[in-house]
Amino acid sequence: MIRDDIAAAQIAAMKARDKGTVDATRLIQAAIKNRDIELRTAATMPDDDLMVTEVLGKMIKQRRESIDMFQKGGRPELAANEAAEVVVIERFLPTQMTEDEAAAAIDAIATELGATSVKDMGRVMAAVKTAHTGKMDMARASGLVKARLAG
């Protein structure tokens, strides 16, 4: 499980006195704990690794937005801190699909669903998200689905 990998990485970073990794893993664990608390009242519990992957993806997206704002604001040291956190967070995500693999997966799903126009984009994206969350950037997938259905 990804949770176990994060905990092990935190312990190793503490032993190595790697402050940046310790801080990042603490932030990750806090975000996961917050998500656990949110899900206490949920009717159905998602797969643990899937939930952790969603949390990590959201954290990376937030940090990339922060990096952009810090760079525009002339604060390169803060942007560097955020970039270092992104590197640590990405270590725990599953390997991302290549552009060709993502296009092939989207093509297979669209064919399976019988999607032929942009009107079917919602159904295709829902299936892609269910099948490939964590392995594919959904923003990039959206563009690929749109191109596939518009073509």
Tab-separated table of all heavy atoms in Angstrom, residues 3 28-46 51-52 54-56 58-59 62:
chain	number	residue	atom	x	y	z
A	3	ARG	N	0.323	4.017	1.522
A	3	ARG	CA	0.456	4.558	2.883
A	3	ARG	C	1.694	4.005	3.579
A	3	ARG	O	2.414	4.738	4.257
A	3	ARG	CB	-0.749	4.154	3.727
A	3	ARG	CG	-1.880	5.068	3.711
A	3	ARG	CD	-2.939	4.501	4.655
A	3	ARG	NE	-4.242	4.838	4.196
A	3	ARG	CZ	-4.998	5.763	4.746
A	3	ARG	NH1	-4.582	6.419	5.788
A	3	ARG	NH2	-6.180	6.032	4.271
A	28	ILE	N	2.049	15.056	3.509
A	28	ILE	CA	1.301	14.009	2.804
A	28	ILE	C	0.419	13.252	3.784
A	28	ILE	O	-0.774	13.045	3.540
A	28	ILE	CB	2.257	13.038	2.082
A	28	ILE	CG1	2.982	13.734	0.939
A	28	ILE	CG2	1.495	11.815	1.565
A	28	ILE	CD1	4.140	12.931	0.359
A	29	GLN	N	1.002	12.848	4.903
A	29	GLN	CA	0.224	12.077	5.873
A	29	GLN	C	-0.912	12.898	6.459
A	29	GLN	O	-2.004	12.373	6.709
A	29	GLN	CB	1.138	11.522	6.958
A	29	GLN	CG	2.008	10.395	6.429
A	29	GLN	CD	2.863	9.737	7.490
A	29	GLN	OE1	3.322	10.387	8.416
A	29	GLN	NE2	3.073	8.444	7.327
A	30	ALA	N	-0.698	14.193	6.669
A	30	ALA	CA	-1.762	15.059	7.180
A	30	ALA	C	-2.903	15.163	6.164
A	30	ALA	O	-4.082	15.097	6.532
A	30	ALA	CB	-1.210	16.439	7.502
A	31	ALA	N	-2.563	15.309	4.884
A	31	ALA	CA	-3.591	15.394	3.846
A	31	ALA	C	-4.382	14.091	3.747
A	31	ALA	O	-5.607	14.110	3.583
A	31	ALA	CB	-2.949	15.727	2.505
A	32	ILE	N	-3.695	12.969	3.869
A	32	ILE	CA	-4.377	11.669	3.818
A	32	ILE	C	-5.296	11.515	5.021
A	32	ILE	O	-6.431	11.053	4.900
A	32	ILE	CB	-3.357	10.517	3.739
A	32	ILE	CG1	-2.638	10.551	2.389
A	32	ILE	CG2	-4.030	9.166	3.957
A	32	ILE	CD1	-1.445	9.620	2.295
A	33	LYS	N	-4.828	11.922	6.192
A	33	LYS	CA	-5.650	11.827	7.403
A	33	LYS	C	-6.898	12.708	7.274
A	33	LYS	O	-7.996	12.290	7.651
A	33	LYS	CB	-4.844	12.232	8.631
A	33	LYS	CG	-5.570	11.981	9.927
A	33	LYS	CD	-4.588	12.020	11.090
A	33	LYS	CE	-5.249	11.655	12.377
A	33	LYS	NZ	-5.401	10.239	12.574
A	34	ASN	N	-6.737	13.908	6.712
A	34	ASN	CA	-7.896	14.777	6.487
A	34	ASN	C	-8.906	14.112	5.557
A	34	ASN	O	-10.114	14.184	5.785
A	34	ASN	CB	-7.461	16.122	5.904
A	34	ASN	CG	-6.803	17.011	6.923
A	34	ASN	OD1	-6.980	16.855	8.132
A	34	ASN	ND2	-6.016	17.960	6.444
A	35	ARG	N	-8.408	13.470	4.515
A	35	ARG	CA	-9.298	12.776	3.571
A	35	ARG	C	-9.993	11.596	4.258
A	35	ARG	O	-11.170	11.352	4.023
A	35	ARG	CB	-8.484	12.296	2.368
A	35	ARG	CG	-9.326	11.680	1.294
A	35	ARG	CD	-10.108	12.730	0.529
A	35	ARG	NE	-10.747	12.075	-0.585
A	35	ARG	CZ	-12.044	12.168	-0.855
A	35	ARG	NH1	-12.819	12.943	-0.155
A	35	ARG	NH2	-12.552	11.506	-1.874
A	36	ASP	N	-9.275	10.883	5.135
A	36	ASP	CA	-9.883	9.797	5.897
A	36	ASP	C	-11.043	10.318	6.739
A	36	ASP	O	-12.102	9.687	6.821
A	36	ASP	CB	-8.859	9.121	6.819
A	36	ASP	CG	-7.884	8.223	6.079
A	36	ASP	OD1	-8.202	7.804	4.945
A	36	ASP	OD2	-6.809	7.948	6.637
A	37	ILE	N	-10.826	11.458	7.364
A	37	ILE	CA	-11.867	12.056	8.206
A	37	ILE	C	-13.071	12.448	7.360
A	37	ILE	O	-14.223	12.212	7.755
A	37	ILE	CB	-11.299	13.267	8.987
A	37	ILE	CG1	-10.296	12.770	10.032
A	37	ILE	CG2	-12.413	14.072	9.641
A	37	ILE	CD1	-9.458	13.854	10.672
A	38	GLU	N	-12.838	13.028	6.184
A	38	GLU	CA	-13.931	13.387	5.278
A	38	GLU	C	-14.744	12.166	4.867
A	38	GLU	O	-15.957	12.240	4.702
A	38	GLU	CB	-13.387	14.051	4.013
A	38	GLU	CG	-12.826	15.431	4.212
A	38	GLU	CD	-12.140	15.953	2.953
A	38	GLU	OE1	-12.277	15.322	1.871
A	38	GLU	OE2	-11.457	16.977	3.050
A	39	LEU	N	-14.065	11.030	4.697
A	39	LEU	CA	-14.726	9.822	4.198
A	39	LEU	C	-15.446	9.027	5.284
A	39	LEU	O	-16.112	8.045	4.973
A	39	LEU	CB	-13.713	8.926	3.482
A	39	LEU	CG	-13.191	9.464	2.160
A	39	LEU	CD1	-12.080	8.579	1.625
A	39	LEU	CD2	-14.316	9.583	1.145
A	40	ARG	N	-15.317	9.432	6.542
A	40	ARG	CA	-15.981	8.683	7.617
A	40	ARG	C	-17.479	8.608	7.408
A	40	ARG	O	-18.110	7.621	7.765
A	40	ARG	CB	-15.702	9.334	8.973
A	40	ARG	CG	-14.347	9.032	9.496
A	40	ARG	CD	-14.180	9.599	10.881
A	40	ARG	NE	-12.803	9.440	11.320
A	40	ARG	CZ	-12.263	10.093	12.321
A	40	ARG	NH1	-12.988	10.958	13.010
A	40	ARG	NH2	-11.016	9.892	12.647
A	41	THR	N	-18.061	9.654	6.855
A	41	THR	CA	-19.508	9.674	6.663
A	41	THR	C	-19.926	9.202	5.271
A	41	THR	O	-21.109	9.202	4.963
A	41	THR	CB	-20.050	11.102	6.895
A	41	THR	OG1	-19.398	11.985	5.987
A	41	THR	CG2	-19.807	11.547	8.326
A	42	ALA	N	-18.978	8.817	4.448
A	42	ALA	CA	-19.281	8.376	3.084
A	42	ALA	C	-20.001	7.035	3.109
A	42	ALA	O	-19.749	6.182	3.963
A	42	ALA	CB	-18.008	8.264	2.269
A	43	ALA	N	-20.900	6.860	2.156
A	43	ALA	CA	-21.657	5.615	2.069
A	43	ALA	C	-20.759	4.457	1.636
A	43	ALA	O	-20.890	3.341	2.141
A	43	ALA	CB	-22.812	5.773	1.094
A	44	THR	N	-19.858	4.731	0.710
A	44	THR	CA	-18.938	3.698	0.249
A	44	THR	C	-17.515	4.218	0.369
A	44	THR	O	-17.241	5.377	0.080
A	44	THR	CB	-19.201	3.316	-1.222
A	44	THR	OG1	-19.059	4.482	-2.031
A	44	THR	CG2	-20.587	2.739	-1.398
A	45	MET	N	-16.626	3.350	0.768
A	45	MET	CA	-15.222	3.713	0.911
A	45	MET	C	-14.489	3.343	-0.377
A	45	MET	O	-14.579	2.202	-0.832
A	45	MET	CB	-14.588	2.959	2.087
A	45	MET	CG	-15.131	3.377	3.438
A	45	MET	SD	-14.745	5.076	3.844
A	45	MET	CE	-13.020	4.935	4.214
A	46	PRO	N	-13.754	4.295	-0.964
A	46	PRO	CA	-12.985	3.969	-2.158
A	46	PRO	C	-11.780	3.100	-1.791
A	46	PRO	O	-11.398	3.029	-0.621
A	46	PRO	CB	-12.532	5.343	-2.673
A	46	PRO	CG	-12.523	6.206	-1.463
A	46	PRO	CD	-13.611	5.681	-0.567
A	51	MET	N	-7.624	6.310	-3.263
A	51	MET	CA	-7.861	7.520	-2.490
A	51	MET	C	-6.550	8.259	-2.223
A	51	MET	O	-6.457	9.478	-2.388
A	51	MET	CB	-8.558	7.175	-1.166
A	51	MET	CG	-8.957	8.374	-0.318
A	51	MET	SD	-7.715	8.975	0.841
A	51	MET	CE	-7.545	7.613	1.944
A	52	VAL	N	-5.501	7.530	-1.840
A	52	VAL	CA	-4.205	8.146	-1.571
A	52	VAL	C	-3.647	8.762	-2.852
A	52	VAL	O	-3.107	9.868	-2.834
A	52	VAL	CB	-3.218	7.121	-0.964
A	52	VAL	CG1	-1.816	7.691	-0.888
A	52	VAL	CG2	-3.687	6.685	0.417
A	54	GLU	N	-5.363	9.976	-5.343
A	54	GLU	CA	-6.116	11.202	-5.599
A	54	GLU	C	-5.597	12.344	-4.731
A	54	GLU	O	-5.431	13.472	-5.203
A	54	GLU	CB	-7.602	10.991	-5.337
A	54	GLU	CG	-8.297	10.153	-6.373
A	54	GLU	CD	-9.746	9.858	-6.012
A	54	GLU	OE1	-10.225	10.303	-4.943
A	54	GLU	OE2	-10.408	9.173	-6.801
A	55	VAL	N	-5.336	12.051	-3.459
A	55	VAL	CA	-4.814	13.069	-2.537
A	55	VAL	C	-3.454	13.561	-3.025
A	55	VAL	O	-3.195	14.773	-3.066
A	55	VAL	CB	-4.712	12.522	-1.096
A	55	VAL	CG1	-3.943	13.466	-0.192
A	55	VAL	CG2	-6.100	12.264	-0.525
A	56	LEU	N	-2.578	12.645	-3.417
A	56	LEU	CA	-1.248	13.025	-3.897
A	56	LEU	C	-1.347	13.859	-5.177
A	56	LEU	O	-0.620	14.849	-5.342
A	56	LEU	CB	-0.388	11.787	-4.132
A	56	LEU	CG	-0.033	10.962	-2.887
A	56	LEU	CD1	0.747	9.721	-3.290
A	56	LEU	CD2	0.731	11.775	-1.876
A	58	LYS	N	-3.800	15.773	-6.080
A	58	LYS	CA	-4.303	17.095	-5.705
A	58	LYS	C	-3.187	17.940	-5.082
A	58	LYS	O	-3.056	19.134	-5.369
A	58	LYS	CB	-5.453	16.929	-4.709
A	58	LYS	CG	-6.195	18.188	-4.390
A	58	LYS	CD	-7.312	17.885	-3.416
A	58	LYS	CE	-8.582	18.526	-3.879
A	58	LYS	NZ	-9.702	18.251	-2.980
A	59	MET	N	-2.356	17.308	-4.262
A	59	MET	CA	-1.245	18.030	-3.637
A	59	MET	C	-0.254	18.531	-4.690
A	59	MET	O	0.233	19.657	-4.614
A	59	MET	CB	-0.527	17.126	-2.630
A	59	MET	CG	-1.325	16.842	-1.382
A	59	MET	SD	-0.448	15.747	-0.250
A	59	MET	CE	0.772	16.899	0.410
A	62	GLN	N	-1.736	21.524	-6.510
A	62	GLN	CA	-1.665	22.726	-5.679
A	62	GLN	C	-0.249	23.299	-5.682
A	62	GLN	O	-0.058	24.511	-5.788
A	62	GLN	CB	-2.074	22.408	-4.241
A	62	GLN	CG	-3.540	22.112	-4.071
A	62	GLN	CD	-3.869	21.541	-2.698
A	62	GLN	OE1	-3.006	21.014	-2.005
A	62	GLN	NE2	-5.138	21.643	-2.326
